[in-house]
Amino acid sequence: MELYDLPHSPYAARVRMYIYARNLAVDISAPPGGLGSDTYKALTVSNKVPILNNDGAYLAESSAIIEYLEAQFTDGALGPADPWARAQQSAMTRYIDLYFAQALFPLFQQLRAAPRDKAVVASALAKLLEELLTLQRWYQLSELQPTSALTTVDCAVIPVLFYVRTLAPLFGVSEPLAATPLLTERWTWAEQHAVASRVIEEMAAGLKAVMSGAK
Ligand SMILES: N[C@@H](CCC(=O)N[C@@H](CS)C(=O)NCC(=O)O)C(=O)O
């Protein structure tokens, strides 16, 4: 199997984190022909990263890829075997995709805008801080409370927290996790976790490369 990946993508990062945590024999490479190329577009309808190449069959969407890979395991190590707890993990991941990640997009846009729109930035930052409180509430649910083990939920959370911590200071919010101690704690834990910290470093290097290429 092969994962088409870009290091800075939070969606690809979550799959890499899962693959490393499970120590799976999945090759990780750039999209063939490059993102946006006709070669890559021909593989799936999504034309995004990540995509899993499973012996010439292609699966898009990071959460579907993790679900497919995780379906082989019954040890409950990263995702609980109990269907209810597993569904709660899935619900939290959907929250991140449908709502939390959306709150980051205006900041990405404003990063490149010249001049920046102060009103848009202010409302985007307010929305982001509100969503951080919501994200923390998900971690407080009994089925989702963080432990010393990495879960599929952490695979989704840590990459978005990387972007929160990277983007917010560029708009004057130096400590975006200050009001969410549980998220601060999970981030600190991730920085010391062998697999999570590896992915954080890969994302940072990938983003640096993209930003320097964009100049
Ligand atoms: N819902 C998708 C999102 C994937 C996604 O948006 N990937 C971005 C990189 S972060 C991408 O490939 N963008 C290229 C494009 O949209 O053309 C997933 O979870 O895999």
Side-chain angles (χ1 to χ4, degrees):
M1 279 197 280
E2 190 173 7
L3 184 78
Y4 298 137
D5 163 271
L6 289 175
H8 70 279
S9 160
Y11 302 102
R14 74 165 63 152
V15 183
R16 285 202 315 281
M17 198 180 292
Y18 176 83
I19 288 170
Y20 300 157
R22 281 282 187 201
N23 206 12
L24 301 180
V26 177
D27 292 329
I28 294 176
S29 45
L35 197 63
S37 69
D38 289 341
T39 312
Y40 197 56
K41 277 183 194 159
L43 300 184
T44 71
V45 290
S46 110
N47 188 34
K48 291 183 190 298
V49 288
I51 286 178
L52 184 71
N53 175 352
N54 186 11
D55 227 357
Y58 299 93
L59 179 63
E61 291 295 321
S62 55
S63 48
I65 294 169
I66 291 176
E67 269 171 39
Y68 170 71
L69 295 171
E70 180 66 4
Q72 307 168 57
F73 297 96
T74 52
D75 60 6
L78 273 92
D82 171 60
W84 178 260
R86 191 171 281 233
Q88 287 286 20
Q89 284 202 342
S90 172
M92 183 169 174
T93 304
R94 280 178 69 77
Y95 159 74
I96 291 168
D97 288 350
L98 294 174
Y99 307 104
F100 191 89
Q102 305 307 316
L104 283 166
F105 289 144
L107 293 179
F108 279 116
Q109 283 164 349
Q110 286 300 309
L111 202 57
R112 299 251 164 112
R116 288 180 184 166
D117 184 326
K118 283 186 184 162
V120 170
V121 169
S123 99
L125 286 172
K127 176 73 179 153
L128 182 61
L129 296 178
E130 188 187 310
E131 292 298 345
L132 281 164
L133 292 170
T134 306
L135 184 64
Q136 175 168 272
R137 286 184 61 209
W138 280 95
Y139 260 146
Q140 287 167 329
L141 295 182
S142 61
E143 301 88 346
L144 298 174
Q145 280 174 14
T147 68
S148 59
L150 185 91
T151 67
T152 57
V153 156
D154 295 312
C155 292
V157 170
I158 301 306
V160 290
L161 289 188
F162 166 82
Y163 272 102
V164 169
R165 294 184 78 263
T166 303
L167 283 179
L170 302 176
F171 294 96
V173 180
S174 58
E175 297 288 347
L177 303 186
T180 49
L182 192 52
L183 297 183
T184 302
E185 206 178 298
R186 203 53 175 167
W187 176 260
T188 306
W189 167 88
E191 283 184 311
Q192 286 153 13
H193 186 279
V195 165
S197 64
R198 175 180 173 188
V199 173
I200 292 168
E201 281 166 26
E202 289 172 354
M203 292 182 78
L207 183 62
K208 198 171 164 194
V210 169
M211 297 307 280
S212 59
K215 279 176 193 161

